Amino acid sequence: NVEEVQEMLCGMVEQLIRSKLLYPYRLLGHYFLMAIDATGMLSFDVRHCPQCMTRKHGSGTIYYHPVLEAKLVTENGFAFSLMTEFIENPHEAVSKQDCEIKAFRRLAPRIKKRFPRLPIALLGDGLYAEGPVFDICKEYKWKFIVTLKDNDLPFVNTEFKKLLPLQFKNHLTFFPAKHKPTRQDFCWVHDIEYVDTQKRQHLLSVLQCLETTKDKATSTKYKWVTNLNLDYNNVYTVANKGGRQRWKIENQGFNAQKNGGFGLEHVYSNNPVASKIFYLLMQ
């Protein structure tokens, strides 16, 4: 049974938490970093099962099975699978296919039910910069640090640009390491009032980091939206030990399992239940 194997996996992670082995890697000494992302698992040239996702391309149709992962990530490179949600259509003749955000709305209550008191800081890419995700985090008392692109949440981006010159104290320049010629310029604005499409209000903060290295003529920009209280003493930690750790789910997580000899995308079985169990056992 897929749920039984998932529970075994949750129990292993719970043991690590209860043993306080992950305590040193908590953000700001309190929050466990939970990165959320989807990846491809299986793909076929012909329909594999009624739940297959479909995507058209020039020469035909691809039938595929993606998966949404919630992983506890740490600064020193761990990526522990906390819980999995398989992205799949309920039947073959669907008007709208399943997707990553729909899967997250199913996954979030499962995580909250299984780990009701776990203090979580959710890390997500720009896809999660939306009101319904913020609302779930508010309901579950989760913190979030979500990538904010310049064309996402136009009102929030506009307010950030307007308010930043007025908050001249909200700037910090930091040199992460003496042996690396890297400079980080942080700026932030807090308490931006955002009303989503469901007329729900959220108080958001925006944190931006411009990173400049000696051998590059231009700076790299990182920007996040968060419900954490930002100040002069914690922006470096929130950015570098929080927001930028999202890459662990892609590098130490998916990339390692796809290209490190584990065969995440290999079809070990054509049986849909067996395929899911193989995936969970790999985690």
Side-chain angles (χ1 to χ4, degrees), residues 180-237:
K180 290 184 178 180
T182 301
R183 167 178 171 154
Q184 291 182 322
D185 293 294
F186 297 97
C187 58
W188 63 96
V189 172
H190 42 70
D191 294 340
I192 297 176
E193 294 185 4
Y194 168 68
V195 180
D196 63 23
T197 55
Q198 303 298 320
K199 306 301 181 182
R200 292 175 294 220
Q201 293 185 339
H202 306 275
L203 276 181
L204 305 175
S205 299
V206 175
L207 171 61
Q208 179 176 286
C209 171
L210 293 178
E211 185 173 273
T212 308
T213 57
K214 190 176 181 180
D215 56 342
K216 288 187 178 181
T218 59
S219 300
T220 302
K221 181 169 70 174
Y222 303 93
K223 188 163 58 174
W224 302 273
V225 59
T226 180
N227 58 351
L228 287 165
N229 294 320
L230 301 177
D231 59 44
Y232 191 85
N233 297 312
N234 68 11
V235 290
Y236 171 84
T237 300

Side-chain angles (χ1 to χ4, degrees), residues 10-268:
C10 290
M12 295 170 67
V13 176
E14 183 180 41
Q15 183 61 39
L16 291 175
I17 296 170
R18 289 184 177 274
S19 301
K20 300 184 178 181
L21 294 174
L22 302 182
Y23 273 36
Y25 310 112
R26 294 175 296 173
L27 179 68
L28 301 173
H30 185 65
Y31 302 105
F32 290 89
L33 296 174
M34 183 180 75
I36 296 283
D37 201 9
T39 191
M41 184 176 67
L42 303 175
S43 63
F44 305 91
D45 294 329
V46 296
R47 180 171 290 279
H48 163 252
C49 67
Q51 285 72 44
C52 280
M53 305 279 287
T54 61
R55 183 170 63 242
K56 301 287 185 180
H57 64 90
S59 58
T61 302
I62 294 178
Y63 301 90
Y64 67 104
H65 284 266
V67 61
L68 180 65
E69 268 291 310
K71 289 184 182 289
L72 292 186
V73 297
T74 66
E75 184 185 3
N76 65 336
F78 286 116
F80 297 107
S81 177
L82 186 67
M83 195 170 286
T84 299
E85 181 69 31
F86 294 98
I87 303 174
E88 56 188 10
N89 293 324
H91 51 81
E92 185 174 340
V94 293
S95 56
K96 289 186 177 181
Q97 295 198 93
D98 199 8
C99 67
E100 184 174 343
I101 288 297
K102 289 180 181 178
F104 172 73
R105 293 171 186 170
R106 301 192 301 269
L107 179 62
R110 291 176 55 212
I111 295 173
K112 183 62 177 178
K113 182 178 179 180
R114 182 59 182 81
F115 301 93
R117 293 182 293 178
L118 189 67
I120 286 174
L122 183 145
L123 310 179
D125 59 21
L127 185 65
Y128 293 88
E130 63 161 27
V133 173
F134 302 156
D135 199 56
I136 289 172
C137 291
K138 180 189 293 185
E139 179 183 354
Y140 294 161
K141 295 181 172 57
W142 292 351
K143 300 300 181 182
F144 59 82
I145 310 170
V146 173
T147 300
L148 181 64
K149 298 179 181 178
D150 291 338
N151 56 349
D152 290 337
L153 299 180
F155 175 80
V156 175
N157 268 304
T158 300
E159 287 294 290
F160 173 70
K161 293 177 182 178
K162 288 181 179 179
L163 294 173
L164 186 59
L166 304 177
Q167 301 187 13
F168 56 91
K169 291 185 179 180
N170 292 359
H171 292 265
L172 172 67
T173 297
F174 195 88
F175 296 89
K178 294 181 179 179
H179 64 282
K180 290 184 178 180
T182 301
R183 167 178 171 154
Q184 291 182 322
D185 293 294
F186 297 97
C187 58
W188 63 96
V189 172
H190 42 70
D191 294 340
I192 297 176
E193 294 185 4
Y194 168 68
V195 180
D196 63 23
T197 55
Q198 303 298 320
K199 306 301 181 182
R200 292 175 294 220
Q201 293 185 339
H202 306 275
L203 276 181
L204 305 175
S205 299
V206 175
L207 171 61
Q208 179 176 286
C209 171
L210 293 178
E211 185 173 273
T212 308
T213 57
K214 190 176 181 180
D215 56 342
K216 288 187 178 181
T218 59
S219 300
T220 302
K221 181 169 70 174
Y222 303 93
K223 188 163 58 174
W224 302 273
V225 59
T226 180
N227 58 351
L228 287 165
N229 294 320
L230 301 177
D231 59 44
Y232 191 85
N233 297 312
N234 68 11
V235 290
Y236 171 84
T237 300
V238 171
N240 293 307
K241 299 179 183 294
R244 293 182 69 170
Q245 299 306 313
R246 189 192 69 81
W247 287 100
K248 294 291 192 303
I249 192 173
E250 297 186 6
N251 295 334
Q252 281 78 1
F254 300 137
N255 184 58
Q257 292 179 349
K258 289 180 179 180
N259 303 309
F262 300 98
L264 173 62
E265 298 173 296
H266 180 74
V267 183
Y268 288 103

Side-chain angles (χ1 to χ4, degrees), residues 262-281:
F262 300 98
L264 173 62
E265 298 173 296
H266 180 74
V267 183
Y268 288 103
S269 172
N270 281 319
N271 183 287
V273 175
S275 295
K276 293 177 180 179
I277 291 177
F278 272 119
Y279 176 86
L280 292 174
L281 290 176

